[in-house]
């Protein structure tokens, strides 16, 4: 018995010495490893084209559906409703797209892909941030197709090409930051289906209880109070200011501040939860 205890203690001390001797990963190496993981995720997208179905079809369907259903009731006609609607659809589409990040992460963990990363001397954040970098392509496609559909339906953004590009860029940055929430959910949920269910419960109140589809002035007072502090409302208003007026308003600053807060909270939580599985 004493021999077994002594042997176990020697194994623990040996493991501690190996861990202490392990070289720390530099920031430059972390960036390179993150890009390598992003390339892996990008190749996975190319081999599974169905991953682009939602970002290709959802903007087209939602833009047409919401425009023709709500346009006449809210502004009197579809064309007048488009300047209000298109930035809202962009925000909703990008945020819905980033929800898939956590689901795909959980699927990879269930398949044992992340078990192979245990033996690699890589930064722990690289397997998490890499797929999120690759998803920037999906956000770009979703936002671009939404504006393209709006143009086909008669939308003429007063902010010009520069304002539209700025609105798309802001939506992409927001989607990337919000993806950290769903990444964290992916590391704590027990299945991909659970990740999707939890993400929907987070996402739907944020998007539909916002000013994405209706003016705040038409809402009851108690609901309008929540809508005004909803981060999605800040994103939508900032997108409208940029796309319709080429105006960099204070809403842009509030949106970026919300992005930084989300990253500061959920990126460490995601890495910490991920390490538990390693």
């Amino acid at each position: 018995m004493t021999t077994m205890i002594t042997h176990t203690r020697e194994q623990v001390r040996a493991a501690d010495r190996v861990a202490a001797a392990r070289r720390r990963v530099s920031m430059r190496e972390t960036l390179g490893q993150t890009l390598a993981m992003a390339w892996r995720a990008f190749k996975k997208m190319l081999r599974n084209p169905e991953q682009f179905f939602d970002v290709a079809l959802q903007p087209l369907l939602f833009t047409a559906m919401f425009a023709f259903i709500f346009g006449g009731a809210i502004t009197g006609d579809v064309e007048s409703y488009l300047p209000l609607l298109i930035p809202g659809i962009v925000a909703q589409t990008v945020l819905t797209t980033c929800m898939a990040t956590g689901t795909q992460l959980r699927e990879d963990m269930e398949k044992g892909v992340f078990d192979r990363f245990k033996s690699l001397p890589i930064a722990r954040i690289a397997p998490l941030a890499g797929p999120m970098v690759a998803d920037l392509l999906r956000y770009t496609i979703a936002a671009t197709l939404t504006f393209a559909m709006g143009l086909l339906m008669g939308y003429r953004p007063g902010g010009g090409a520069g304002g539209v590009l700025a609105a798309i860029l802001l939506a992409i940055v927001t989607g990337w930051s919000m993806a950290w929430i769903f990444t964290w959910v992916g590391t704590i949920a027990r299945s991909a289906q659970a990740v999707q269910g939890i993400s929907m419960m987070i996402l739907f109140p944020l998007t539909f209880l916002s000013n994405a589809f209706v003016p705040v002035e038409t809402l009851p007072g108690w609901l309008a109070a929540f809508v005004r502090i909803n981060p999605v409302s800040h994103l939508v208003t900032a997108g409208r200011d940029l796309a319709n007026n080429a105006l960099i308003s204070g809403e842009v600053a509030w949106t970026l501040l919300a992005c930084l807060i989300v990253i500061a909270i959920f990126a460490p939580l995601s890495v910490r939860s991920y390490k538990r599985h390693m």
Side-chain angles (χ1 to χ4, degrees):
M1 185 67 179
T2 304
T3 304
M4 292 179 59
I5 294 176
T6 303
H7 182 65
T8 303
R9 288 177 177 174
E10 290 177 354
Q11 287 180 328
V12 171
R13 284 196 293 267
D16 291 339
R17 287 194 295 270
V18 171
R22 188 175 297 164
R23 184 172 59 86
R24 289 184 176 273
V25 181
S26 66
M27 286 296 297
R28 182 176 181 179
E29 290 172 327
T30 299
L31 178 60
Q33 293 159 6
T34 300
L35 294 178
M37 290 294 177
W39 178 244
R40 169 188 172 273
F42 177 69
K43 290 195 295 184
K44 182 180 177 182
M45 291 181 189
L46 295 181
R47 293 169 182 170
N48 298 277
E50 62 270 14
Q51 292 189 22
F52 292 102
F53 287 175
D54 58 340
V55 298
L57 298 179
Q58 182 175 316
L60 307 181
L61 293 175
F62 276 29
T63 302
M65 182 175 65
F66 279 94
F68 288 111
I69 290 177
F70 297 121
I74 294 176
T75 62
D77 60 86
V78 172
E79 188 172 345
S80 301
Y81 184 48
L82 291 176
L84 178 76
L85 175 68
I86 297 301
I89 292 290
V90 169
Q92 184 205 38
T93 303
V94 169
L95 295 180
T96 304
T97 301
C98 74
M99 182 181 66
T101 302
T103 304
Q104 293 171 4
L105 171 67
R106 185 68 248 179
E107 289 177 349
D108 279 347
M109 295 177 71
E110 290 177 351
K111 293 176 181 178
V113 175
F114 280 79
D115 291 336
R116 301 179 183 179
F117 298 151
K118 293 179 182 179
S119 59
L120 299 179
I122 61 176
R124 294 309 184 206
I125 197 173
L128 301 178
M132 293 174 61
V133 173
D135 281 341
L136 293 176
L137 174 63
R138 287 161 47 83
Y139 306 154
T140 303
I141 293 174
T144 302
L145 286 179
T146 301
F147 274 105
M149 185 63 178
L151 292 173
L152 289 175
M153 296 178 64
Y155 174 49
R156 297 297 178 263
V164 169
L165 289 176
I168 291 176
L169 180 60
L170 183 63
I172 292 172
V173 171
T174 305
W176 188 84
S177 65
M178 291 290 291
W180 280 109
I181 299 177
F182 304 116
T183 297
W184 174 66
V185 173
T187 61
I188 64 173
R190 295 186 177 182
S191 65
Q193 292 78 9
V195 174
Q196 189 171 11
I198 296 171
S199 300
M200 294 287 279
M201 288 190 296
I202 295 173
L203 188 63
F204 269 43
L206 286 176
T207 53
F208 286 99
L209 298 182
S210 70
N211 64 347
F213 307 113
V214 296
V216 181
E217 295 76 17
T218 63
L219 301 175
W222 61 270
L223 181 56
F226 173 80
V227 169
R228 289 190 177 95
I229 63 173
N230 186 346
V232 176
S233 295
H234 292 298
L235 170 62
V236 173
T237 303
R240 288 170 182 158
D241 292 337
L242 291 169
N244 296 329
N245 304 309
L247 175 64
I248 303 177
S249 63
E251 298 295 335
V252 175
W254 282 113
T255 302
L256 294 177
L257 177 61
C259 292
L260 291 175
I261 293 174
V262 169
I263 294 172
I265 294 174
F266 287 97
L269 287 176
S270 299
V271 175
R272 182 179 303 176
S273 180
Y274 168 66
K275 285 182 178 179
R276 295 173 183 169
H277 296 279
M278 299 294 286

